[in-house]
Amino acid sequence: MTQFSNFGLAEPIARALAEKGYTDPTPIQVQAIPPALEGKDLCGIAQTGTGKTAAFALPILNRFHNEPKHRLKYCTRSLVLAPTRELASQIAKSFEDYAKFMRVSVTTVFGGVPIPRQERAMSHGVDVVVATPGRLLDLVERGSLDLRHVEVLVLDEADQMLDLGFIHDLKRIVGLLPRQRQTLFFSATMPKAIEDLAARYLKDPVKVAVKPAATTAERVEQAVIHVNQAEKPALLQVVLKEIEAAGTLDRALVFSRTKHGADRIVRQLGLAGIVAEAIHGNKSQPQRERSLKAFRDGTCRVLVATDIAARGIDVSGVSHVINYELPNVAEQYVHRIGRTARAGRTGQAIAFCADDERAYLRDIEKLIRLKVTVLGLPADFRAAVANTQRIERNAPPMPREEERERRGGGGRPGPNPHAQVRPARAGGRPPAAGGRPSGGAGRVAGRPGGAGGGRPPGGGNRAGANAGARRGR
Ligand code: AMP
């Protein structure tokens, strides 16, 4: 069996890995590290959670160790492009961990933080820039970053970059890089468009794959519950409480198709006494970081996310993925459920399927080549529906910003990728994790309907989070 010592990594890197407790390389690392260390281009099919970050980070750091160079002002030796801020932050953190015993500077570049700070970081030159494409180009255009000395380019989650419409930015960026470079290309899936992109940017690449594109993580136990859209809030509460009562809830990631839907779910859970946080493109960077931290450290065990925001979130111990709405692109389902059952653990994925989502379910089952087990509605579901409706009637009206987004306002056109990864410029942001009851100390509390009291009566809040589903993720 291959061990890290077989790779001949520089001593400070090996020490950092030992300190992190990595004993054996993961399959993608076994396949990718040796050719990457030789300077070859790489085309890797691997999802987040497989250890792919180390697969590209370790060879880059090894290069820095073996070929030390003075930093050039406003230049970087390696550029990692990622589709979301979360993933970029996470990659940068991994680099820092693995380079703990080296003198390597790592900078993240993404929207949502003041640009002067990133410009200052560039002024001395850096070794690793981890960036989302839009802000990177902003920096280049402002003359604060020169890409002519990049030795290694990493494209991470290339399929997601394409989905997010980053293709033009990507092409522009690659056009600014030296032709003579090493390119490491990673994607969770390899549709034709991604294959074409790889063919264009890679020279004689070594192809590595840890899992065929469409296979679902085997360790995830999957189930679906058929339910009316309007009754999903009650179902979510009952399901979370059941999992909690069964003692299997570690962390639950709930997927909503829209930002507004995510906020509404958090609000409804709050009204039912369940502590939850939302993470999506309308949240500011500090808000996202706070929510992620709470989820990571267990003070909040239910995180409601949109697909975009959830990409790259690396939180171990996600015991449950709940697809509150089914994704309309089947591959997205695979990405979602891949958030659980990581690092050898088991996990459970539960989908809520309304009548108008049955076609999505069929697509998913075709893709994963599996019939998802159908579960019946829980025993106390009807009572929960009645209770939820009563609480909803007495709840304060939805905050204005949520209303605006629901109606399609907020100044952000739907498919604009920047709007999805950058903070809201116009239209402000929804309040953080609205409607949370006090107490609860991060547990999925068993207090059905207890949090509605004391609130001023207001106009009801319509259940059924599907409105405007495709607009603002
Ligand atoms: P990634 O797919 O790069 O996001 O990595 C997923 C998780 O696996 C991260 O938490 C890594 O720290 C962890 N990891 C990566 N490589 C190894 C390894 N060889 N042994 C144990 N954990 C690892």
Side-chain angles (χ1 to χ4, degrees), residues 268-289:
Q268 283 161 334
L269 287 176
L271 291 171
I274 296 173
V275 176
E277 296 266 350
I279 177 165
H280 54 64
N282 276 8
K283 298 280 184 190
S284 68
Q285 192 60 18
Q287 279 175 327
R288 288 171 176 225
E289 276 163 17

Side-chain angles (χ1 to χ4, degrees), residues 4 20-26 29 47-54 87 90 94 98 312 314 316 342-343:
F4 276 111
K20 272 189 84 71
Y22 292 9
T23 47
D24 305 311
T26 65
Q29 292 162 4
Q47 293 188 20
T48 297
T50 54
K52 68 180 160 64
T53 313
L87 184 59
Q90 214 158 280
S94 297
Y98 304 142
D314 176 27
S316 54
R342 303 180 82 178

Side-chain angles (χ1 to χ4, degrees), residues 34-79:
L37 283 172
E38 287 176 34
K40 292 191 174 138
D41 280 5
L42 208 70
C43 182
I45 303 182
Q47 293 188 20
T48 297
T50 54
K52 68 180 160 64
T53 313
F56 60 75
L58 302 181
I60 292 175
L61 294 175
N62 208 65
R63 168 190 287 256
F64 293 161
H65 182 271
N66 292 345
E67 301 166 36
K69 285 185 190 165
H70 283 298
R71 285 181 201 126
L72 300 173
K73 287 184 175 183
Y74 299 105
C75 292
T76 179
R77 290 185 69 183
S78 62
L79 172 64

Side-chain angles (χ1 to χ4, degrees), residues 90-170:
Q90 214 158 280
I91 294 170
K93 168 83 175 60
S94 297
F95 265 98
E96 281 162 0
D97 286 352
Y98 304 142
K100 186 173 173 198
F101 302 109
M102 297 171 68
R103 290 168 62 93
V104 168
S105 63
V106 183
T107 295
T108 48
V109 168
F110 45 67
V113 289
I115 205 160
R117 200 192 304 165
Q118 294 172 347
E119 290 184 310
R120 269 198 304 280
M122 290 303 156
S123 62
H124 305 291
V126 292
D127 298 310
V128 185
V129 170
V130 188
T132 54
R135 177 57 74 90
L136 185 89
L137 281 173
D138 289 347
L139 279 186
V140 171
E141 277 158 16
R142 291 163 67 111
S144 311
L145 177 59
D146 177 347
L147 297 175
R148 285 175 301 176
H149 296 273
V150 169
E151 297 166 35
V152 188
L153 166 70
V154 179
L155 284 178
D156 200 12
E157 306 217 339
D159 52 351
Q160 191 69 6
M161 293 225 223
L162 205 74
D163 287 352
L164 287 174
F166 282 138
I167 187 72
H168 296 297
D169 286 352
L170 208 62

Side-chain angles (χ1 to χ4, degrees), residues 176-192:
L176 299 169
L177 302 174
R179 280 177 187 279
Q180 188 62 37
R181 59 165 198 268
Q182 182 180 21
T183 307
L184 309 173
F185 187 103
F186 287 88
S187 189
T189 56
M190 203 45 82
K192 177 85 175 57

